[in-house]
Amino acid sequence: MKRKLLINSSLLVVERFTVLFFSFASALLMARYAGAELFGQFSSIVAFGSLFLVFTQMGLNNVSSKYFTLYPNNTAFYLFAAIGVRLVFSVAIIPLAYLCGLLALDSTEAALVALLVALQVGNAATVIEFFFIAKQEVATTLVPRLLIKLSCKLALILAILWESPIVIWVLLSGAEYALLAMAYLFLLRRQPPLKKVQLNTAKRMYKGAGILLHRGKWLLLSSLAAVMYLKIDQVMLASMIGDQEVAYYAAAAKLSEFWYVLPVLIANVFMPRLVSLYHANKFQYWRLQRHFYAYSTVAAVAVITLTLWLAEPIILFLFGDAYRSSIAILQVHIFGCLFIFSRAFMSRWLILSNNHKLSLHSHLMGAVVNVLLNILLIPHYGGVGAAIASVVAYGVAGIGFMVFFAPTRSYLKSLISH
Protein backbone atom coordinates (compact mmCIF):
# COMPACT_ATOMS: atom_id res chain seq x y z
CA MET A 1 0.00 0.00 0.00
CA LYS A 2 2.74 2.47 0.99
CA ARG A 3 4.69 1.72 -2.18
CA LYS A 4 1.62 2.28 -4.32
CA LEU A 5 0.85 5.57 -2.57
CA LEU A 6 4.43 6.72 -3.13
CA ILE A 7 4.26 5.82 -6.83
CA ASN A 8 0.89 7.55 -7.25
CA SER A 9 2.11 10.66 -5.44
CA SER A 10 5.25 10.78 -7.58
CA LEU A 11 3.27 10.39 -10.79
CA LEU A 12 0.89 13.22 -9.90
CA VAL A 13 3.70 15.53 -8.80
CA VAL A 14 5.66 14.91 -12.03
CA GLU A 15 2.52 15.46 -14.10
CA ARG A 16 1.58 18.65 -12.29
CA PHE A 17 5.01 20.20 -12.52
CA THR A 18 5.21 19.31 -16.22
CA VAL A 19 1.90 21.05 -16.88
CA LEU A 20 2.91 24.01 -14.72
CA PHE A 21 6.13 24.36 -16.68
CA PHE A 22 4.25 24.72 -19.96
CA SER A 23 1.66 26.96 -18.33
CA PHE A 24 4.42 29.17 -17.03
CA ALA A 25 6.09 29.17 -20.46
CA SER A 26 2.88 30.46 -22.08
CA ALA A 27 2.52 33.16 -19.40
CA LEU A 28 6.15 34.15 -19.91
CA LEU A 29 5.64 34.54 -23.66
CA MET A 30 2.55 36.66 -23.07
CA ALA A 31 4.39 38.87 -20.63
CA ARG A 32 7.42 39.38 -22.86
CA TYR A 33 5.94 39.48 -26.35
CA ALA A 34 2.32 40.58 -25.92
CA GLY A 35 3.12 43.29 -23.40
CA ALA A 36 1.98 44.00 -19.87
CA GLU A 37 -1.40 45.44 -20.91
CA LEU A 38 -2.54 42.40 -22.90
CA PHE A 39 -1.04 39.94 -20.41
CA GLY A 40 -2.85 41.75 -17.61
CA GLN A 41 -6.13 41.69 -19.54
CA PHE A 42 -5.87 37.94 -20.14
CA SER A 43 -4.91 37.33 -16.50
CA SER A 44 -7.95 39.32 -15.35
CA ILE A 45 -10.28 37.25 -17.56
CA VAL A 46 -8.83 33.94 -16.35
CA ALA A 47 -8.94 35.06 -12.70
CA PHE A 48 -12.56 36.20 -13.07
CA GLY A 49 -13.51 32.95 -14.80
CA SER A 50 -11.90 30.90 -12.03
CA LEU A 51 -14.32 32.47 -9.53
CA PHE A 52 -17.06 30.37 -11.16
CA LEU A 53 -15.07 27.16 -11.50
CA VAL A 54 -16.28 26.03 -8.07
CA PHE A 55 -19.80 25.57 -9.50
CA THR A 56 -18.47 22.83 -11.76
CA GLN A 57 -17.24 21.03 -8.63
CA MET A 58 -20.00 21.84 -6.11
CA GLY A 59 -17.69 20.86 -3.25
CA LEU A 60 -18.04 17.20 -4.23
CA ASN A 61 -14.46 16.16 -5.06
CA ASN A 62 -13.38 15.03 -1.61
CA VAL A 63 -16.92 14.12 -0.49
CA SER A 64 -17.21 11.77 -3.48
CA SER A 65 -13.74 10.37 -2.81
CA LYS A 66 -14.82 9.60 0.76
CA TYR A 67 -17.94 7.74 -0.41
CA PHE A 68 -16.04 5.87 -3.15
CA THR A 69 -13.68 4.55 -0.47
CA LEU A 70 -16.25 3.76 2.24
CA TYR A 71 -18.97 2.32 -0.03
CA PRO A 72 -17.25 0.69 -3.03
CA ASN A 73 -20.37 -1.35 -3.90
CA ASN A 74 -22.39 1.84 -4.35
CA THR A 75 -19.76 3.80 -6.28
CA ALA A 76 -21.91 4.06 -9.42
CA PHE A 77 -24.76 5.59 -7.43
CA TYR A 78 -22.62 8.38 -6.02
CA LEU A 79 -20.53 8.89 -9.15
CA PHE A 80 -23.43 9.45 -11.56
CA ALA A 81 -25.30 11.58 -9.05
CA ALA A 82 -22.19 13.77 -8.59
CA ILE A 83 -21.75 14.22 -12.34
CA GLY A 84 -25.41 15.20 -12.72
CA VAL A 85 -25.32 17.77 -9.93
CA ARG A 86 -22.12 19.35 -11.20
CA LEU A 87 -23.34 19.49 -14.79
CA VAL A 88 -26.60 21.25 -13.92
CA PHE A 89 -24.96 23.95 -11.84
CA SER A 90 -22.02 24.51 -14.19
CA VAL A 91 -24.43 25.26 -17.06
CA ALA A 92 -26.75 27.41 -14.95
CA ILE A 93 -23.91 29.68 -13.83
CA ILE A 94 -22.90 30.86 -17.36
CA PRO A 95 -25.34 33.83 -17.65
CA LEU A 96 -24.52 34.93 -14.09
CA ALA A 97 -20.81 34.96 -14.98
CA TYR A 98 -21.54 37.27 -17.91
CA LEU A 99 -23.63 39.65 -15.79
CA CYS A 100 -20.98 39.79 -13.07
CA GLY A 101 -18.36 40.43 -15.75
CA LEU A 102 -20.30 43.46 -16.97
CA LEU A 103 -20.16 44.94 -13.46
CA ALA A 104 -16.37 44.65 -13.04
CA LEU A 105 -14.99 44.57 -16.62
CA ASP A 106 -15.86 46.01 -20.02
CA SER A 107 -18.37 44.28 -22.32
CA THR A 108 -15.72 42.51 -24.45
CA GLU A 109 -13.94 41.09 -21.42
CA ALA A 110 -17.31 40.06 -19.90
CA ALA A 111 -18.15 38.11 -23.06
CA LEU A 112 -14.77 36.37 -22.92
CA VAL A 113 -15.36 35.48 -19.26
CA ALA A 114 -18.72 33.92 -20.23
CA LEU A 115 -17.00 31.97 -23.02
CA LEU A 116 -14.39 30.62 -20.62
CA VAL A 117 -17.04 29.67 -18.04
CA ALA A 118 -19.03 27.85 -20.76
CA LEU A 119 -15.98 25.79 -21.66
CA GLN A 120 -15.39 25.05 -17.98
CA VAL A 121 -18.62 23.01 -17.95
CA GLY A 122 -16.44 20.04 -18.91
CA ASN A 123 -14.86 20.22 -15.46
CA ALA A 124 -18.03 18.60 -14.10
CA ALA A 125 -16.71 15.24 -15.34
CA THR A 126 -13.43 15.46 -13.40
CA VAL A 127 -15.07 13.72 -10.43
CA ILE A 128 -14.30 10.59 -12.50
CA GLU A 129 -10.63 11.25 -11.73
CA PHE A 130 -11.38 10.86 -8.01
CA PHE A 131 -13.17 7.58 -8.75
CA PHE A 132 -9.95 6.19 -10.22
CA ILE A 133 -7.82 7.69 -7.43
CA ALA A 134 -10.02 5.91 -4.87
CA LYS A 135 -9.26 2.67 -6.74
CA GLN A 136 -5.53 3.52 -6.58
CA GLU A 137 -5.46 3.69 -10.39
CA VAL A 138 -3.87 7.11 -10.80
CA ALA A 139 -2.14 6.26 -14.08
CA THR A 140 -5.47 5.51 -15.80
CA THR A 141 -6.46 9.19 -15.94
CA LEU A 142 -2.96 10.65 -15.72
CA VAL A 143 -1.83 9.75 -19.25
CA PRO A 144 -4.77 11.24 -21.20
CA ARG A 145 -4.92 14.23 -18.83
CA LEU A 146 -1.24 14.99 -19.36
CA LEU A 147 -1.50 14.64 -23.15
CA ILE A 148 -4.55 16.90 -23.36
CA LYS A 149 -3.15 19.59 -21.07
CA LEU A 150 0.22 19.66 -22.80
CA SER A 151 -1.43 19.82 -26.22
CA CYS A 152 -3.57 22.78 -25.15
CA LYS A 153 -0.59 24.56 -23.57
CA LEU A 154 1.53 24.04 -26.69
CA ALA A 155 -1.33 25.30 -28.86
CA LEU A 156 -1.58 28.40 -26.65
CA ILE A 157 2.15 29.01 -26.99
CA LEU A 158 1.85 28.80 -30.78
CA ALA A 159 -1.15 31.18 -30.71
CA ILE A 160 0.93 33.71 -28.76
CA LEU A 161 3.86 33.41 -31.15
CA TRP A 162 1.53 33.82 -34.14
CA GLU A 163 0.00 36.91 -32.47
CA SER A 164 -3.51 35.44 -32.49
CA PRO A 165 -6.33 37.54 -30.94
CA ILE A 166 -7.08 37.15 -27.25
CA VAL A 167 -10.31 35.23 -27.97
CA ILE A 168 -8.15 32.38 -29.32
CA TRP A 169 -6.17 32.40 -26.08
CA VAL A 170 -9.38 32.09 -24.09
CA LEU A 171 -10.69 29.29 -26.34
CA LEU A 172 -7.48 27.29 -25.95
CA SER A 173 -7.41 27.88 -22.19
CA GLY A 174 -10.93 26.50 -21.85
CA ALA A 175 -10.61 23.74 -24.44
CA GLU A 176 -8.79 21.42 -22.05
CA TYR A 177 -11.89 21.20 -19.83
CA ALA A 178 -14.06 19.98 -22.72
CA LEU A 179 -11.40 17.56 -24.00
CA LEU A 180 -10.76 16.16 -20.53
CA ALA A 181 -14.48 15.54 -20.05
CA MET A 182 -14.62 13.49 -23.24
CA ALA A 183 -11.52 11.52 -22.25
CA TYR A 184 -12.81 10.78 -18.74
CA LEU A 185 -16.21 9.67 -20.01
CA PHE A 186 -14.49 7.34 -22.47
CA LEU A 187 -12.40 5.84 -19.66
CA LEU A 188 -15.47 5.43 -17.50
CA ARG A 189 -17.26 3.60 -20.28
CA ARG A 190 -14.33 1.19 -20.55
CA GLN A 191 -14.06 0.66 -16.77
CA PRO A 192 -17.52 1.34 -15.31
CA PRO A 193 -18.10 1.18 -11.55
CA LEU A 194 -19.89 -1.77 -10.01
CA LYS A 195 -23.66 -1.47 -9.98
CA LYS A 196 -24.95 -3.20 -6.88
CA VAL A 197 -28.00 -0.92 -6.74
CA GLN A 198 -30.58 -0.01 -9.35
CA LEU A 199 -29.77 3.41 -10.78
CA ASN A 200 -32.24 3.71 -13.63
CA THR A 201 -34.97 5.59 -11.78
CA ALA A 202 -35.20 9.35 -11.48
CA LYS A 203 -36.24 8.98 -7.83
CA ARG A 204 -32.98 7.27 -6.86
CA MET A 205 -30.87 9.77 -8.79
CA TYR A 206 -32.65 12.70 -7.12
CA LYS A 207 -32.02 11.01 -3.78
CA GLY A 208 -28.32 10.62 -4.57
CA ALA A 209 -28.10 14.23 -5.71
CA GLY A 210 -29.78 15.35 -2.49
CA ILE A 211 -27.35 13.37 -0.34
CA LEU A 212 -24.33 14.82 -2.13
CA LEU A 213 -25.67 18.38 -2.10
CA HIS A 214 -26.35 18.10 1.62
CA ARG A 215 -22.83 16.81 2.33
CA GLY A 216 -21.13 19.14 -0.12
CA LYS A 217 -23.01 22.38 0.50
CA TRP A 218 -20.57 23.61 3.13
CA LEU A 219 -17.59 22.62 0.99
CA LEU A 220 -19.16 24.44 -1.99
CA LEU A 221 -19.56 27.63 0.01
CA SER A 222 -16.10 27.05 1.44
CA SER A 223 -14.61 26.64 -2.04
CA LEU A 224 -16.38 29.79 -3.21
CA ALA A 225 -14.97 31.73 -0.27
CA ALA A 226 -11.55 30.17 -0.89
CA VAL A 227 -11.44 31.16 -4.54
CA MET A 228 -12.52 34.64 -3.50
CA TYR A 229 -9.42 35.16 -1.40
CA LEU A 230 -7.19 33.27 -3.85
CA LYS A 231 -8.24 35.09 -7.03
CA ILE A 232 -10.14 38.23 -6.07
CA ASP A 233 -6.88 40.19 -5.76
CA GLN A 234 -6.32 40.22 -9.54
CA VAL A 235 -9.95 41.18 -10.22
CA MET A 236 -9.75 44.03 -7.70
CA LEU A 237 -6.40 45.20 -9.09
CA ALA A 238 -7.92 45.34 -12.58
CA SER A 239 -10.95 47.35 -11.46
CA MET A 240 -9.10 49.67 -9.03
CA ILE A 241 -5.81 50.33 -10.89
CA GLY A 242 -5.69 48.67 -14.31
CA ASP A 243 -4.57 45.68 -16.35
CA GLN A 244 -0.89 46.65 -16.29
CA GLU A 245 -0.70 46.29 -12.50
CA VAL A 246 -2.45 42.94 -12.85
CA ALA A 247 0.35 41.86 -15.20
CA TYR A 248 3.03 42.66 -12.59
CA TYR A 249 1.05 40.81 -9.93
CA ALA A 250 0.29 37.82 -12.19
CA ALA A 251 3.98 37.43 -13.10
CA ALA A 252 4.91 37.17 -9.41
CA ALA A 253 1.93 34.99 -8.53
CA LYS A 254 2.81 32.50 -11.29
CA LEU A 255 6.15 31.89 -9.60
CA SER A 256 4.81 31.50 -6.07
CA GLU A 257 1.66 29.55 -6.99
CA PHE A 258 3.88 27.11 -8.84
CA TRP A 259 4.48 25.53 -5.42
CA TYR A 260 0.95 25.73 -4.06
CA VAL A 261 -0.31 22.61 -5.86
CA LEU A 262 2.26 20.22 -4.38
CA PRO A 263 0.59 19.56 -0.97
CA VAL A 264 -2.87 19.40 -2.56
CA LEU A 265 -1.77 16.67 -4.96
CA ILE A 266 -0.15 14.63 -2.19
CA ALA A 267 -3.22 15.04 0.04
CA ASN A 268 -5.52 13.88 -2.80
CA VAL A 269 -3.47 10.73 -3.33
CA PHE A 270 -3.35 9.95 0.39
CA MET A 271 -7.08 10.61 0.91
CA PRO A 272 -8.10 6.90 0.66
CA ARG A 273 -5.35 6.03 3.16
CA LEU A 274 -6.48 8.81 5.51
CA VAL A 275 -10.10 7.59 5.30
CA SER A 276 -9.07 4.02 6.21
CA LEU A 277 -6.84 5.04 9.11
CA TYR A 278 -9.32 7.56 10.50
CA HIS A 279 -11.92 4.81 10.94
CA ALA A 280 -9.58 1.92 11.82
CA ASN A 281 -6.45 3.23 13.54
CA LYS A 282 -6.51 6.72 15.02
CA PHE A 283 -2.94 6.48 16.32
CA GLN A 284 -1.56 5.81 12.84
CA TYR A 285 -3.84 8.49 11.40
CA TRP A 286 -2.47 11.23 13.67
CA ARG A 287 1.06 9.98 13.16
CA LEU A 288 0.61 10.37 9.40
CA GLN A 289 -0.88 13.86 9.88
CA ARG A 290 2.13 14.92 11.98
CA HIS A 291 4.49 13.69 9.29
CA PHE A 292 2.57 15.69 6.70
CA TYR A 293 2.85 18.86 8.77
CA ALA A 294 6.55 18.39 9.48
CA TYR A 295 7.47 17.73 5.86
CA SER A 296 5.26 20.51 4.51
CA THR A 297 6.69 23.08 6.93
CA VAL A 298 10.28 22.20 6.03
CA ALA A 299 9.41 22.34 2.34
CA ALA A 300 7.65 25.71 2.70
CA VAL A 301 10.55 27.30 4.58
CA ALA A 302 12.99 26.02 1.95
CA VAL A 303 10.87 27.46 -0.90
CA ILE A 304 10.48 30.82 0.86
CA THR A 305 14.20 31.16 1.63
CA LEU A 306 15.21 30.27 -1.91
CA THR A 307 12.68 32.67 -3.43
CA LEU A 308 13.71 35.61 -1.24
CA TRP A 309 17.30 35.08 -2.31
CA LEU A 310 16.63 34.63 -6.03
CA ALA A 311 13.54 36.80 -6.61
CA GLU A 312 15.31 39.68 -8.36
CA PRO A 313 17.50 37.69 -10.80
CA ILE A 314 14.62 35.31 -11.62
CA ILE A 315 12.13 38.11 -12.39
CA LEU A 316 14.63 40.11 -14.45
CA PHE A 317 15.86 37.05 -16.34
CA LEU A 318 12.42 35.64 -17.12
CA PHE A 319 10.27 38.73 -17.59
CA GLY A 320 12.75 41.53 -18.22
CA ASP A 321 13.36 44.92 -16.64
CA ALA A 322 9.81 46.04 -17.48
CA TYR A 323 8.58 43.72 -14.72
CA ARG A 324 10.88 44.99 -11.97
CA SER A 325 7.77 45.86 -9.95
CA SER A 326 7.04 42.12 -9.68
CA ILE A 327 10.14 41.51 -7.49
CA ALA A 328 8.71 43.00 -4.30
CA ILE A 329 5.32 41.38 -5.00
CA LEU A 330 6.95 37.95 -5.29
CA GLN A 331 9.01 38.42 -2.11
CA VAL A 332 5.78 39.04 -0.19
CA HIS A 333 3.48 36.59 -1.99
CA ILE A 334 5.79 33.59 -1.50
CA PHE A 335 5.13 33.61 2.28
CA GLY A 336 1.70 32.20 1.47
CA CYS A 337 3.39 28.80 1.00
CA LEU A 338 3.72 28.43 4.76
CA PHE A 339 -0.07 28.46 5.21
CA ILE A 340 -1.16 26.86 1.94
CA PHE A 341 1.03 23.82 2.55
CA SER A 342 -0.42 23.08 6.01
CA ARG A 343 -4.00 23.85 4.97
CA ALA A 344 -4.11 20.98 2.46
CA PHE A 345 -3.92 18.27 5.14
CA MET A 346 -6.14 19.99 7.69
CA SER A 347 -8.87 20.24 5.02
CA ARG A 348 -8.99 16.44 4.76
CA TRP A 349 -9.57 16.18 8.52
CA LEU A 350 -12.48 18.63 8.26
CA ILE A 351 -14.12 16.25 5.75
CA LEU A 352 -13.41 13.05 7.66
CA SER A 353 -14.66 14.51 10.96
CA ASN A 354 -17.80 15.96 9.28
CA ASN A 355 -16.78 19.50 10.23
CA HIS A 356 -17.70 20.86 6.82
CA LYS A 357 -19.08 24.08 8.28
CA LEU A 358 -15.68 24.93 9.72
CA SER A 359 -14.16 24.78 6.25
CA LEU A 360 -16.66 27.44 5.21
CA HIS A 361 -15.96 29.56 8.30
CA SER A 362 -12.20 29.44 7.71
CA HIS A 363 -12.39 30.41 4.04
CA LEU A 364 -15.06 33.01 4.70
CA MET A 365 -12.85 34.65 7.31
CA GLY A 366 -9.97 34.59 4.83
CA ALA A 367 -12.12 36.07 2.07
CA VAL A 368 -13.41 38.92 4.26
CA VAL A 369 -9.90 39.75 5.46
CA ASN A 370 -8.54 39.68 1.91
CA VAL A 371 -11.23 41.92 0.44
CA LEU A 372 -11.02 44.46 3.27
CA LEU A 373 -7.20 44.60 3.17
CA ASN A 374 -7.27 44.89 -0.64
CA ILE A 375 -9.60 47.88 -0.37
CA LEU A 376 -7.22 49.50 2.14
CA LEU A 377 -3.87 48.56 0.60
CA ILE A 378 -4.27 48.44 -3.18
CA PRO A 379 -4.85 52.21 -3.65
CA HIS A 380 -1.59 52.95 -1.78
CA TYR A 381 0.67 49.98 -2.56
CA GLY A 382 -0.76 48.41 -5.73
CA GLY A 383 0.34 44.83 -6.31
CA VAL A 384 2.45 44.70 -3.14
CA GLY A 385 -0.63 45.65 -1.13
CA ALA A 386 -2.62 42.87 -2.82
CA ALA A 387 0.17 40.39 -1.99
CA ILE A 388 0.18 41.45 1.68
CA ALA A 389 -3.60 41.05 1.81
CA SER A 390 -3.38 37.58 0.28
CA VAL A 391 -0.71 36.30 2.67
CA VAL A 392 -2.61 37.57 5.72
CA ALA A 393 -5.79 35.94 4.38
CA TYR A 394 -3.93 32.64 3.85
CA GLY A 395 -2.74 32.79 7.46
CA VAL A 396 -6.23 33.47 8.80
CA ALA A 397 -7.84 30.69 6.72
CA GLY A 398 -5.05 28.18 7.30
CA ILE A 399 -4.14 28.64 10.97
CA GLY A 400 -5.65 31.70 12.64
CA PHE A 401 -9.28 30.55 12.51
CA MET A 402 -8.47 27.40 14.54
CA VAL A 403 -8.38 29.24 17.86
CA PHE A 404 -12.03 30.30 17.51
CA PHE A 405 -13.65 26.84 17.34
CA ALA A 406 -13.60 23.93 19.80
CA PRO A 407 -13.21 21.14 17.15
CA THR A 408 -10.16 22.78 15.60
CA ARG A 409 -8.61 23.41 19.01
CA SER A 410 -9.15 19.70 19.67
CA TYR A 411 -7.54 18.96 16.30
CA LEU A 412 -4.42 20.88 17.28
CA LYS A 413 -4.31 19.06 20.61
CA SER A 414 -4.63 15.66 18.91
CA LEU A 415 -1.97 16.58 16.39
CA ILE A 416 0.48 17.29 19.20
CA SER A 417 -0.44 14.62 21.75
CA HIS A 418 -1.08 11.47 19.68
Side-chain angles (χ1 to χ4, degrees):
M1 174 65 77
K2 289 183 178 180
R3 183 174 179 273
K4 197 166 188 178
L5 286 171
L6 181 60
I7 292 173
N8 289 340
S9 299
S10 301
L11 286 173
L12 286 176
V13 169
V14 170
E15 177 223 4
R16 189 57 178 168
F17 275 95
T18 302
V19 173
L20 282 173
F21 172 80
F22 282 93
S23 178
F24 182 79
S26 63
L28 182 60
L29 286 173
M30 286 183 201
R32 292 190 71 98
Y33 296 105
E37 192 71 26
L38 196 55
F39 176 47
Q41 183 185 15
F42 179 75
S43 299
S44 300
I45 292 167
V46 172
F48 205 98
S50 67
L51 297 178
F52 301 91
L53 194 59
V54 296
F55 293 99
T56 68
Q57 300 170 351
M58 294 302 294
L60 298 182
N61 284 345
N62 290 309
V63 171
S64 299
S65 182
K66 175 182 174 180
Y67 285 146
F68 297 158
T69 303
L70 292 178
Y71 311 110
N73 290 337
N74 293 333
T75 295
F77 178 72
Y78 292 111
L79 177 59
F80 296 136
I83 293 174
V85 168
R86 290 157 64 118
L87 186 62
V88 168
F89 280 89
S90 59
V91 171
I93 205 67
I94 298 172
L96 179 61
Y98 177 67
L99 293 175
C100 291
L102 289 175
L103 295 176
L105 309 171
D106 61 41
S107 57
T108 301
E109 291 175 337
L112 291 175
V113 167
L115 173 61
L116 180 58
V117 173
L119 292 168
Q120 289 174 176
V121 170
N123 196 54
T126 57
V127 70
I128 297 171
E129 178 183 335
F130 288 81
F131 160 66
F132 284 104
I133 288 177
K135 294 171 61 178
Q136 295 297 315
E137 296 179 10
V138 169
T140 302
T141 54
L142 185 147
V143 174
R145 184 171 64 249
L146 183 59
L147 290 175
I148 289 171
K149 289 191 173 185
L150 289 186
S151 297
C152 290
K153 299 301 180 189
L154 288 172
L156 179 57
I157 289 173
L158 291 175
I160 296 167
L161 294 175
W162 291 340
E163 299 181 354
S164 300
I166 193 171
V167 64
I168 301 298
W169 298 4
V170 174
L171 280 170
L172 291 172
S173 297
E176 68 179 56
Y177 296 105
L179 293 173
L180 278 173
M182 290 187 283
Y184 284 164
L185 290 171
F186 175 76
L187 290 173
L188 187 65
R189 187 171 181 178
R190 292 185 61 186
Q191 299 184 47
L194 294 174
K195 295 184 179 181
K196 292 296 181 68
V197 295
Q198 293 297 317
L199 302 170
N200 56 354
T201 64
K203 185 177 180 180
R204 287 201 66 84
M205 293 308 297
Y206 287 142
K207 181 180 179 181
I211 292 172
L212 290 173
L213 281 173
H214 176 69
R215 293 296 183 184
K217 61 184 177 182
W218 300 114
L219 292 176
L220 166 64
L221 295 172
S222 173
S223 297
L224 186 58
V227 81
M228 285 290 289
Y229 78 78
L230 287 170
K231 295 296 182 181
I232 197 64
D233 40 17
Q234 295 187 40
V235 176
M236 293 183 73
L237 275 171
S239 61
M240 296 174 71
I241 296 184
D243 289 331
Q244 191 166 347
E245 190 68 18
V246 176
Y248 301 145
Y249 186 90
K254 280 288 182 182
L255 288 168
S256 58
E257 290 173 359
F258 184 87
W259 302 102
Y260 287 4
V261 298
L262 182 60
V264 176
L265 288 173
I266 295 173
N268 283 344
V269 172
F270 275 87
M271 185 63 177
R273 177 67 172 164
L274 290 171
V275 171
S276 300
L277 290 178
Y278 187 81
H279 293 281
N281 191 329
K282 287 293 180 68
F283 177 81
Q284 289 294 330
Y285 171 82
W286 289 110
R287 182 183 178 186
L288 185 58
Q289 280 277 33
R290 281 201 303 274
H291 288 167
F292 282 148
Y293 269 89
Y295 296 147
S296 66
T297 301
V298 171
V301 170
V303 169
I304 291 168
T305 303
L306 193 64
T307 303
L308 291 175
W309 180 37
L310 297 175
E312 182 173 357
I314 287 176
I315 289 290
L316 296 181
F317 174 74
L318 293 175
F319 294 97
D321 194 66
Y323 283 81
R324 185 172 287 275
S325 298
S326 299
I327 297 171
I329 297 173
L330 175 58
Q331 289 174 327
V332 173
H333 201 271
I334 195 62
F335 278 91
C337 285
L338 198 59
F339 309 114
I340 296 292
F341 278 32
S342 61
R343 171 78 200 198
F345 306 108
M346 188 267 291
S347 296
R348 274 57 188 174
W349 171 81
L350 291 175
I351 295 168
L352 293 175
S353 61
N354 291 318
N355 282 299
H356 304 88
K357 288 184 181 180
L358 295 184
S359 181
L360 169 61
H361 295 331
S362 66
H363 287 311
L364 193 58
M365 290 171 68
V368 170
V369 168
N370 199 14
V371 171
L372 291 177
L373 287 180
N374 274 327
I375 292 172
L376 292 173
L377 298 176
I378 285 178
H380 302 287
Y381 304 105
V384 173
I388 294 172
S390 292
V391 172
V392 174
Y394 296 161
V396 170
I399 296 177
F401 88 100
M402 290 187 184
V403 301
F404 296 100
F405 304 99
T408 46
R409 290 196 297 268
S410 176
Y411 169 81
L412 289 173
K413 182 179 179 181
S414 296
L415 197 64
I416 296 171
S417 61
H418 275 73

